[in-house]
Amino acid sequence: MATELIHLGFSNILAVNRVVAIVSPNSAPSKRMILEAKKKGLIIDMTNGRRTKAVLVLDTGHTVLAAIAPETIAGRVATSRDGNPKADPIEEMAL
């Protein structure tokens, strides 16, 4: 299985096949998840000081903070998989 990489902005690249979930950082459970990851040393901050718009949970237990929206990340994954952008990347990812 080849490693699939996407660009998360600010020269940051992520291996998409390691991602388990992409969540919004605004809910209380995701904020607790971020705090726990910081305590355990499992946080990867790819925001370059910008506001966190997406939280990605990896299969290794790491938590990645991104400065781009979850919809944008899903669109980039869909584009990288078949070369053309989808009208609704979230529905395509569910298939």
Coordinates of all heavy atoms in Angstrom, one line a residue:
M1 N 0.8 -1.2 0.0 CA 0.0 0.0 0.0 C 0.9 1.2 0.0 O 1.8 1.4 0.8 CB -0.9 0.0 1.2 CG -1.7 1.2 1.4 SD -2.7 1.2 2.9 CE -4.2 1.7 2.3
A2 N 0.7 2.1 -0.9 CA 1.4 3.3 -1.1 C 0.9 4.4 -0.1 O -0.2 4.4 0.3 CB 1.3 3.9 -2.5
T3 N 1.9 5.2 0.4 CA 1.5 6.3 1.3 C 0.9 7.5 0.5 O 1.5 7.9 -0.5 CB 2.7 6.8 2.0 OG1 3.3 5.7 2.8 CG2 2.4 7.9 3.0
E4 N -0.3 7.9 0.9 CA -1.0 9.0 0.2 C -0.8 10.3 1.0 O -1.1 10.3 2.2 CB -2.4 8.6 0.1 CG -3.2 9.5 -0.8 CD -4.7 9.1 -0.9 OE1 -5.0 8.0 -0.4 OE2 -5.5 9.8 -1.5
L5 N -0.2 11.3 0.4 CA 0.2 12.5 1.1 C -0.7 13.7 0.5 O -1.0 13.7 -0.6 CB 1.6 12.9 0.8 CG 2.7 11.8 1.2 CD1 4.0 12.3 0.8 CD2 2.6 11.6 2.7
I6 N -1.1 14.6 1.5 CA -1.8 15.8 1.1 C -1.1 17.0 1.7 O -0.5 16.9 2.8 CB -3.3 15.8 1.4 CG1 -3.5 15.7 2.9 CG2 -4.0 14.8 0.6 CD1 -4.9 16.1 3.3
H7 N -1.3 18.1 1.1 CA -0.7 19.4 1.6 C -1.7 20.1 2.5 O -2.8 20.3 2.2 CB -0.4 20.3 0.4 CG 0.3 21.5 0.7 ND1 -0.3 22.7 0.8 CD2 1.6 21.8 1.0 CE1 0.5 23.7 1.2 NE2 1.7 23.1 1.3
L8 N -1.2 20.4 3.7 CA -2.1 21.0 4.7 C -1.8 22.5 4.9 O -2.2 23.2 5.8 CB -2.0 20.4 6.1 CG -2.6 19.0 6.2 CD1 -2.5 18.5 7.7 CD2 -4.1 19.1 5.8
G9 N -1.0 23.1 4.0 CA -0.6 24.5 4.1 C 0.7 24.7 4.8 O 1.0 23.9 5.7
F10 N 1.3 25.8 4.5 CA 2.5 26.2 5.2 C 3.6 25.2 5.1 O 4.4 24.9 6.1 CB 2.3 26.6 6.7 CG 1.1 27.5 6.9 CD1 -0.1 27.0 7.5 CD2 1.1 28.8 6.5 CE1 -1.2 27.8 7.7 CE2 0.0 29.6 6.7 CZ -1.1 29.1 7.3
S11 N 3.7 24.5 4.0 CA 4.8 23.5 3.7 C 4.6 22.3 4.6 O 5.6 21.6 4.9 CB 6.2 24.1 3.8 OG 6.4 25.1 2.9
N12 N 3.4 22.0 5.1 CA 3.1 20.8 5.9 C 2.4 19.7 5.1 O 1.5 20.0 4.4 CB 2.3 21.2 7.1 CG 3.0 22.1 8.1 OD1 4.1 21.9 8.5 ND2 2.3 23.2 8.4
I13 N 2.9 18.5 5.2 CA 2.4 17.4 4.4 C 1.9 16.3 5.4 O 2.6 16.1 6.4 CB 3.5 16.8 3.5 CG1 4.1 17.9 2.6 CG2 2.9 15.7 2.6 CD1 3.2 18.4 1.6
L14 N 0.8 15.7 5.1 CA 0.2 14.7 6.0 C 0.0 13.4 5.3 O -0.5 13.4 4.1 CB -1.1 15.2 6.7 CG -1.8 14.3 7.6 CD1 -1.0 14.1 8.9 CD2 -3.2 14.7 7.9
A15 N 0.3 12.2 5.9 CA -0.1 10.9 5.3 C -1.5 10.7 5.6 O -1.9 10.4 6.7 CB 0.8 9.9 5.9
V16 N -2.4 10.7 4.5 CA -3.8 10.6 4.7 C -4.2 9.2 5.1 O -5.2 9.1 5.9 CB -4.5 11.0 3.4 CG1 -6.0 10.7 3.4 CG2 -4.2 12.4 3.0
N17 N -3.5 8.2 4.7 CA -3.9 6.8 5.1 C -3.7 6.5 6.5 O -4.1 5.5 7.0 CB -3.2 5.8 4.2 CG -1.8 6.0 4.0 OD1 -1.3 7.1 4.2 ND2 -1.1 5.0 3.5
R18 N -3.1 7.4 7.3 CA -3.0 7.3 8.8 C -4.1 8.0 9.5 O -4.3 7.8 10.7 CB -1.7 7.9 9.3 CG -0.4 7.4 8.6 CD -0.2 5.9 8.8 NE -0.1 5.6 10.2 CZ 0.8 4.6 10.7 NH1 1.6 4.0 9.9 NH2 0.8 4.4 12.0
V19 N -5.0 8.8 8.8 CA -6.0 9.5 9.5 C -7.2 8.7 9.8 O -7.7 8.0 8.9 CB -6.4 10.7 8.6 CG1 -7.6 11.5 9.2 CG2 -5.3 11.7 8.4
V20 N -7.7 8.7 11.0 CA -8.9 8.0 11.4 C -10.1 8.9 11.4 O -11.2 8.5 11.0 CB -8.7 7.4 12.9 CG1 -10.0 6.8 13.4 CG2 -7.5 6.5 12.9
A21 N -10.0 10.2 11.8 CA -11.1 11.1 11.9 C -10.6 12.5 11.7 O -9.5 12.9 12.0 CB -11.8 11.0 13.2
I22 N -11.5 13.4 11.1 CA -11.3 14.8 11.0 C -12.5 15.5 11.7 O -13.6 15.3 11.3 CB -11.2 15.2 9.5 CG1 -10.2 14.5 8.8 CG2 -11.0 16.7 9.4 CD1 -10.2 14.7 7.3
V23 N -12.2 16.2 12.8 CA -13.2 16.8 13.5 C -13.0 18.3 13.7 O -11.9 18.9 13.5 CB -13.4 16.2 14.9 CG1 -13.7 14.7 14.8 CG2 -12.1 16.3 15.7
S24 N -14.1 19.0 14.0 CA -14.1 20.5 14.3 C -13.5 20.7 15.7 O -13.8 19.9 16.6 CB -15.5 21.0 14.2 OG -15.5 22.3 14.7
P25 N -12.7 21.7 15.9 CA -12.0 21.9 17.2 C -12.9 22.7 18.2 O -12.5 23.0 19.3 CB -10.8 22.8 16.8 CG -11.3 23.6 15.7 CD -12.2 22.6 14.9
N26 N -14.2 23.0 17.8 CA -15.0 23.8 18.6 C -15.8 23.1 19.7 O -16.3 23.7 20.6 CB -16.0 24.6 17.7 CG -15.2 25.5 16.7 OD1 -14.2 26.0 17.0 ND2 -15.8 25.6 15.5
S27 N -16.0 21.8 19.6 CA -16.8 21.1 20.6 C -16.0 20.8 21.9 O -14.7 20.7 21.8 CB -17.3 19.8 20.0 OG -16.3 18.9 19.8
A28 N -16.7 20.6 23.0 CA -16.0 20.3 24.2 C -15.2 19.0 24.2 O -14.1 19.0 24.7 CB -17.0 20.3 25.4
P29 N -15.8 17.9 23.6 CA -15.0 16.7 23.5 C -13.7 16.8 22.7 O -12.6 16.3 23.1 CB -15.9 15.7 22.8 CG -17.3 16.2 23.1 CD -17.1 17.7 23.1
S30 N -13.7 17.6 21.6 CA -12.5 17.7 20.8 C -11.5 18.6 21.6 O -10.3 18.4 21.5 CB -12.8 18.3 19.4 OG -13.3 19.6 19.5
K31 N -12.0 19.6 22.3 CA -11.0 20.4 23.2 C -10.4 19.6 24.2 O -9.2 19.7 24.5 CB -11.8 21.6 23.8 CG -12.2 22.6 22.8 CD -12.9 23.8 23.4 CE -13.4 24.8 22.4 NZ -14.1 25.9 22.9
R32 N -11.1 18.6 24.9 CA -10.6 17.7 25.8 C -9.5 16.8 25.2 O -8.5 16.5 25.8 CB -11.7 16.9 26.5 CG -12.4 17.7 27.6 CD -13.2 16.7 28.5 NE -14.2 16.0 27.7 CZ -15.5 16.4 27.4 NH1 -15.9 17.6 27.9 NH2 -16.3 15.7 26.8
M33 N -9.9 16.3 24.0 CA -8.9 15.5 23.3 C -7.6 16.2 23.0 O -6.5 15.6 23.1 CB -9.6 15.0 22.0 CG -8.8 14.0 21.2 SD -9.6 13.5 19.7 CE -10.1 15.0 18.9
I34 N -7.7 17.5 22.6 CA -6.5 18.2 22.3 C -5.7 18.4 23.6 O -4.4 18.2 23.6 CB -6.9 19.6 21.7 CG1 -7.5 19.5 20.3 CG2 -5.6 20.5 21.7 CD1 -8.1 20.7 19.8
L35 N -6.3 18.7 24.7 CA -5.6 18.9 26.0 C -4.9 17.6 26.4 O -3.8 17.6 26.9 CB -6.6 19.4 27.1 CG -7.0 20.8 27.0 CD1 -8.0 21.1 28.1 CD2 -5.8 21.7 27.1
E36 N -5.6 16.4 26.3 CA -5.0 15.1 26.6 C -3.8 14.8 25.7 O -2.8 14.3 26.2 CB -6.1 14.0 26.5 CG -7.1 14.0 27.6 CD -6.5 13.7 29.0 OE1 -5.6 12.8 29.1 OE2 -6.8 14.4 29.9
A37 N -3.9 15.1 24.5 CA -2.8 14.9 23.6 C -1.6 15.7 23.9 O -0.5 15.3 23.8 CB -3.2 15.1 22.1
K38 N -1.9 17.0 24.3 CA -0.8 17.9 24.7 C -0.1 17.3 26.0 O 1.1 17.3 26.1 CB -1.3 19.3 25.0 CG -1.6 20.1 23.8 CD -2.0 21.5 24.1 CE -2.3 22.2 22.8 NZ -2.8 23.6 23.0
K39 N -0.9 16.8 26.9 CA -0.3 16.3 28.2 C 0.5 15.1 27.9 O 1.6 14.9 28.5 CB -1.4 15.9 29.1 CG -2.1 17.0 29.8 CD -3.2 16.5 30.7 CE -4.1 17.7 31.3 NZ -5.2 17.2 32.1
K40 N 0.1 14.2 26.9 CA 0.8 13.0 26.6 C 2.0 13.2 25.6 O 2.7 12.3 25.3 CB -0.1 12.0 26.0 CG -1.2 11.5 27.0 CD -2.1 10.5 26.3 CE -3.2 10.0 27.3 NZ -4.1 9.1 26.6
G41 N 2.1 14.4 25.0 CA 3.1 14.7 24.1 C 2.8 14.2 22.7 O 3.7 13.9 21.9
L42 N 1.5 14.0 22.4 CA 1.1 13.4 21.1 C 0.4 14.4 20.2 O -0.3 14.0 19.3 CB 0.1 12.2 21.4 CG 0.7 11.0 22.1 CD1 -0.4 10.0 22.5 CD2 1.8 10.4 21.3
I43 N 0.7 15.7 20.4 CA 0.1 16.7 19.6 C 1.1 17.1 18.5 O 2.3 17.2 18.7 CB -0.3 17.9 20.4 CG1 -1.3 18.8 19.7 CG2 0.8 18.8 20.8 CD1 -2.7 18.4 19.9
I44 N 0.6 17.3 17.3 CA 1.3 17.8 16.1 C 0.6 19.0 15.6 O -0.5 19.0 15.1 CB 1.5 16.7 15.0 CG1 2.1 15.5 15.5 CG2 2.3 17.3 13.8 CD1 2.1 14.3 14.6
D45 N 1.3 20.2 15.8 CA 0.7 21.5 15.5 C 1.1 21.9 14.1 O 2.3 22.2 13.9 CB 1.0 22.5 16.5 CG 0.2 23.8 16.3 OD1 -0.4 24.0 15.3 OD2 0.3 24.7 17.2
M46 N 0.2 21.9 13.1 CA 0.6 22.3 11.7 C -0.1 23.6 11.3 O -0.4 23.8 10.2 CB 0.2 21.2 10.7 CG 0.9 19.9 10.8 SD 0.5 18.8 9.5 CE 1.8 17.5 9.7
T47 N -0.4 24.4 12.4 CA -1.1 25.6 12.1 C -0.2 26.8 11.8 O -0.7 27.9 11.3 CB -2.0 26.0 13.3 OG1 -1.2 26.2 14.4 CG2 -3.1 24.9 13.6
N48 N 1.0 26.7 12.2 CA 2.0 27.9 12.1 C 1.4 29.1 12.7 O 1.5 30.2 12.2 CB 2.3 28.2 10.6 CG 3.3 27.2 10.1 OD1 3.4 26.0 10.5 ND2 4.2 27.6 9.2
G49 N 0.8 29.0 13.9 CA 0.3 30.1 14.7 C -1.0 30.6 14.3 O -1.6 31.5 14.9
R50 N -1.6 30.0 13.3 CA -3.0 30.4 12.8 C -4.0 29.7 13.7 O -3.7 28.8 14.5 CB -3.2 30.0 11.4 CG -2.2 30.5 10.4 CD -2.2 32.0 10.2 NE -1.5 32.5 9.1 CZ -0.3 32.5 8.7 NH1 0.6 31.8 9.5 NH2 0.2 33.0 7.6
R51 N -5.3 30.1 13.5 CA -6.4 29.5 14.3 C -6.6 28.1 13.8 O -6.6 27.8 12.6 CB -7.6 30.3 14.0 CG -8.8 29.9 14.9 CD -10.0 30.9 14.7 NE -10.6 30.7 13.4 CZ -11.7 30.0 13.3 NH1 -12.3 29.5 14.3 NH2 -12.3 29.8 12.1
T52 N -6.8 27.2 14.7 CA -7.1 25.8 14.4 C -8.5 25.6 13.9 O -9.5 26.0 14.5 CB -6.9 24.9 15.7 OG1 -5.6 25.0 16.2 CG2 -7.2 23.4 15.4
K53 N -8.6 25.1 12.7 CA -9.9 24.9 12.0 C -10.3 23.4 11.9 O -11.5 23.1 11.7 CB -9.9 25.5 10.6 CG -9.8 27.0 10.7 CD -9.9 27.6 9.3 CE -9.8 29.1 9.3 NZ -9.9 29.6 7.9
A54 N -9.3 22.5 12.1 CA -9.6 21.1 12.0 C -8.6 20.3 12.9 O -7.5 20.7 13.1 CB -9.4 20.6 10.6
V55 N -9.2 19.3 13.5 CA -8.4 18.4 14.3 C -8.4 17.0 13.7 O -9.5 16.5 13.4 CB -8.9 18.3 15.7 CG1 -8.1 17.3 16.6 CG2 -9.0 19.7 16.4
L56 N -7.2 16.4 13.4 CA -7.1 15.1 12.7 C -6.6 14.1 13.7 O -5.6 14.4 14.4 CB -6.2 15.2 11.5 CG -6.7 16.1 10.4 CD1 -6.1 17.5 10.5 CD2 -6.3 15.5 9.1
V57 N -7.3 13.0 13.9 CA -6.9 11.9 14.8 C -6.2 10.9 13.9 O -6.8 10.4 12.9 CB -8.1 11.4 15.5 CG1 -7.6 10.3 16.5 CG2 -8.8 12.5 16.3
L58 N -5.0 10.5 14.3 CA -4.2 9.5 13.5 C -4.3 8.1 14.2 O -4.6 8.0 15.4 CB -2.8 9.9 13.4 CG -2.5 11.3 12.8 CD1 -1.0 11.5 12.7 CD2 -3.2 11.4 11.5
D59 N -4.1 7.1 13.5 CA -4.1 5.7 14.0 C -3.0 5.4 15.0 O -3.1 4.4 15.7 CB -4.2 4.7 12.9 CG -2.9 4.7 12.0 OD1 -2.1 5.6 12.2 OD2 -2.8 3.8 11.1
T60 N -2.0 6.3 15.1 CA -0.9 6.1 16.0 C -1.2 6.7 17.4 O -0.4 6.6 18.3 CB 0.4 6.8 15.5 OG1 0.1 8.2 15.3 CG2 0.8 6.2 14.2
G61 N -2.4 7.4 17.5 CA -2.8 8.1 18.7 C -2.4 9.5 18.7 O -2.8 10.3 19.6
H62 N -1.7 10.0 17.7 CA -1.3 11.4 17.6 C -2.5 12.2 17.2 O -3.5 11.7 16.5 CB -0.2 11.6 16.6 CG 1.1 11.1 17.0 ND1 1.5 9.8 17.0 CD2 2.2 11.8 17.6 CE1 2.7 9.6 17.4 NE2 3.1 10.8 17.9
T63 N -2.5 13.5 17.6 CA -3.6 14.4 17.2 C -2.9 15.6 16.4 O -1.9 16.2 16.9 CB -4.3 15.0 18.4 OG1 -4.8 13.9 19.2 CG2 -5.4 15.9 18.1
V64 N -3.4 15.9 15.2 CA -2.8 16.9 14.4 C -3.8 18.1 14.3 O -5.0 17.9 14.1 CB -2.6 16.4 12.9 CG1 -2.1 17.5 12.0 CG2 -1.7 15.2 13.0
L65 N -3.2 19.3 14.6 CA -4.0 20.5 14.4 C -3.7 21.2 13.1 O -2.5 21.3 12.7 CB -3.6 21.5 15.6 CG -3.7 21.0 17.0 CD1 -3.3 22.0 18.0 CD2 -5.1 20.5 17.3
A66 N -4.8 21.5 12.3 CA -4.6 22.1 11.0 C -5.3 23.4 10.9 O -6.3 23.6 11.6 CB -5.1 21.1 10.0
A67 N -4.8 24.3 10.1 CA -5.3 25.7 9.9 C -6.3 25.7 8.8 O -6.7 26.8 8.4 CB -4.2 26.7 9.8
I68 N -6.6 24.6 8.1 CA -7.6 24.6 7.1 C -8.8 23.8 7.5 O -8.7 22.9 8.3 CB -7.0 24.1 5.7 CG1 -6.5 22.6 5.9 CG2 -5.9 25.0 5.2 CD1 -6.0 22.0 4.6
A69 N -9.9 24.1 6.9 CA -11.2 23.5 7.3 C -11.3 22.0 6.9 O -10.7 21.6 6.0 CB -12.4 24.3 6.6
P70 N -12.1 21.3 7.7 CA -12.2 19.8 7.4 C -12.7 19.6 5.9 O -12.3 18.6 5.3 CB -13.3 19.4 8.4 CG -13.1 20.3 9.5 CD -12.8 21.6 8.9
E71 N -13.6 20.5 5.5 CA -14.2 20.3 4.1 C -13.0 20.5 3.1 O -13.0 19.8 2.0 CB -15.3 21.4 3.9 CG -16.5 21.2 4.7 CD -16.4 21.8 6.1 OE1 -15.4 22.5 6.4 OE2 -17.2 21.5 6.9
T72 N -12.1 21.4 3.3 CA -11.0 21.6 2.4 C -10.1 20.4 2.4 O -9.6 20.0 1.3 CB -10.2 22.9 2.8 OG1 -11.1 24.0 2.9 CG2 -9.1 23.2 1.9
I73 N -9.8 19.8 3.5 CA -9.0 18.6 3.6 C -9.7 17.5 2.9 O -9.0 16.8 2.1 CB -8.7 18.2 5.1 CG1 -7.9 19.3 5.8 CG2 -8.0 16.9 5.2 CD1 -7.8 19.2 7.3
A74 N -11.0 17.3 3.1 CA -11.7 16.2 2.4 C -11.7 16.5 0.9 O -11.5 15.5 0.1 CB -13.2 16.2 2.9
G75 N -11.8 17.7 0.4 CA -11.7 18.0 -1.0 C -10.4 17.7 -1.6 O -10.2 17.2 -2.7
R76 N -9.3 18.0 -0.8 CA -7.9 17.7 -1.3 C -7.7 16.2 -1.4 O -7.0 15.7 -2.3 CB -6.9 18.3 -0.4 CG -6.9 19.8 -0.5 CD -5.8 20.5 0.3 NE -6.0 21.9 0.2 CZ -5.2 22.8 0.8 NH1 -4.2 22.3 1.6 NH2 -5.4 24.1 0.7
V77 N -8.3 15.4 -0.5 CA -8.2 14.0 -0.5 C -8.9 13.4 -1.7 O -8.4 12.6 -2.5 CB -8.7 13.3 0.8 CG1 -8.8 11.8 0.6 CG2 -7.8 13.7 2.0
A78 N -10.1 13.9 -2.0 CA -10.9 13.5 -3.1 C -10.2 13.8 -4.4 O -10.1 13.0 -5.4 CB -12.3 14.1 -3.1
T79 N -9.6 15.0 -4.5 CA -8.9 15.4 -5.7 C -7.6 14.6 -5.9 O -7.3 14.2 -7.1 CB -8.5 16.9 -5.6 OG1 -9.6 17.7 -5.4 CG2 -7.7 17.4 -6.8
S80 N -6.9 14.3 -4.9 CA -5.7 13.5 -5.0 C -6.0 12.0 -5.4 O -5.2 11.4 -6.0 CB -4.9 13.5 -3.7 OG -5.5 12.7 -2.7
R81 N -7.2 11.5 -5.1 CA -7.5 10.1 -5.4 C -7.9 9.9 -6.8 O -7.5 8.9 -7.4 CB -8.6 9.7 -4.4 CG -8.1 9.5 -3.0 CD -9.0 8.6 -2.2 NE -8.3 8.4 -0.9 CZ -8.9 8.2 0.2 NH1 -10.3 8.1 0.2 NH2 -8.3 8.0 1.3
D82 N -8.6 10.9 -7.4 CA -9.0 10.6 -8.8 C -8.7 11.8 -9.7 O -9.2 11.8 -10.9 CB -10.4 10.1 -8.9 CG -11.4 11.0 -8.2 OD1 -11.3 12.2 -8.2 OD2 -12.4 10.5 -7.7
G83 N -8.0 12.8 -9.3 CA -7.6 13.8 -10.2 C -8.5 15.0 -10.5 O -8.1 16.0 -11.0
N84 N -9.8 14.9 -10.1 CA -10.7 16.0 -10.3 C -11.5 16.3 -9.1 O -11.9 15.4 -8.3 CB -11.7 15.7 -11.5 CG -12.5 14.4 -11.3 OD1 -12.4 13.8 -10.3 ND2 -13.2 14.1 -12.3
P85 N -11.8 17.6 -8.8 CA -12.5 17.9 -7.6 C -14.0 17.5 -7.7 O -14.6 17.4 -8.7 CB -12.4 19.5 -7.6 CG -12.1 19.9 -9.0 CD -11.4 18.7 -9.6
K86 N -14.5 17.1 -6.5 CA -15.9 16.7 -6.4 C -16.8 17.8 -6.0 O -16.3 18.8 -5.3 CB -16.0 15.6 -5.4 CG -15.2 14.4 -5.7 CD -15.7 13.6 -6.8 CE -14.9 12.4 -7.1 NZ -15.2 11.8 -8.4
A87 N -18.1 17.7 -6.3 CA -19.0 18.8 -5.9 C -19.2 18.7 -4.4 O -19.2 19.8 -3.8 CB -20.3 18.6 -6.6
D88 N -19.2 17.6 -3.8 CA -19.4 17.4 -2.4 C -18.4 16.3 -1.9 O -18.7 15.1 -1.9 CB -20.8 17.0 -2.0 CG -21.1 17.1 -0.5 OD1 -20.1 17.4 0.2 OD2 -22.2 16.9 -0.1
P89 N -17.2 16.7 -1.5 CA -16.2 15.8 -1.2 C -16.5 14.9 0.1 O -16.1 13.8 0.2 CB -14.9 16.6 -0.9 CG -15.4 18.0 -0.6 CD -16.7 18.1 -1.4
I90 N -17.3 15.4 1.0 CA -17.7 14.7 2.2 C -18.5 13.5 1.8 O -18.3 12.4 2.3 CB -18.4 15.6 3.2 CG1 -17.4 16.6 3.7 CG2 -18.9 14.8 4.4 CD1 -17.9 17.7 4.6
E91 N -19.5 13.6 0.9 CA -20.3 12.5 0.5 C -19.4 11.5 -0.3 O -19.6 10.3 -0.1 CB -21.4 13.0 -0.5 CG -22.5 13.6 0.3 CD -23.7 14.0 -0.7 OE1 -23.7 13.5 -1.8 OE2 -24.5 14.8 -0.2
E92 N -18.5 11.9 -1.1 CA -17.6 11.0 -1.8 C -16.7 10.2 -0.9 O -16.4 9.0 -1.1 CB -16.8 11.8 -2.8 CG -17.5 12.4 -3.9 CD -18.2 11.4 -4.8 OE1 -17.7 10.3 -5.0 OE2 -19.4 11.6 -5.2
M93 N -16.3 10.8 0.3 CA -15.4 10.1 1.2 C -16.2 9.0 1.9 O -15.6 8.0 2.3 CB -14.8 11.1 2.2 CG -13.9 12.1 1.6 SD -12.2 11.9 1.8 CE -12.0 11.3 3.5
A94 N -17.5 9.2 2.1 CA -18.3 8.2 2.8 C -18.5 6.9 2.0 O -18.8 5.9 2.5 CB -19.7 8.8 3.1
L95 N -18.3 7.0 0.6 CA -18.6 5.8 -0.2 C -17.5 4.8 -0.1 O -16.5 4.8 0.2 CB -18.7 6.3 -1.7 CG -19.9 7.2 -2.0 CD1 -19.8 7.6 -3.4 CD2 -21.2 6.5 -1.7

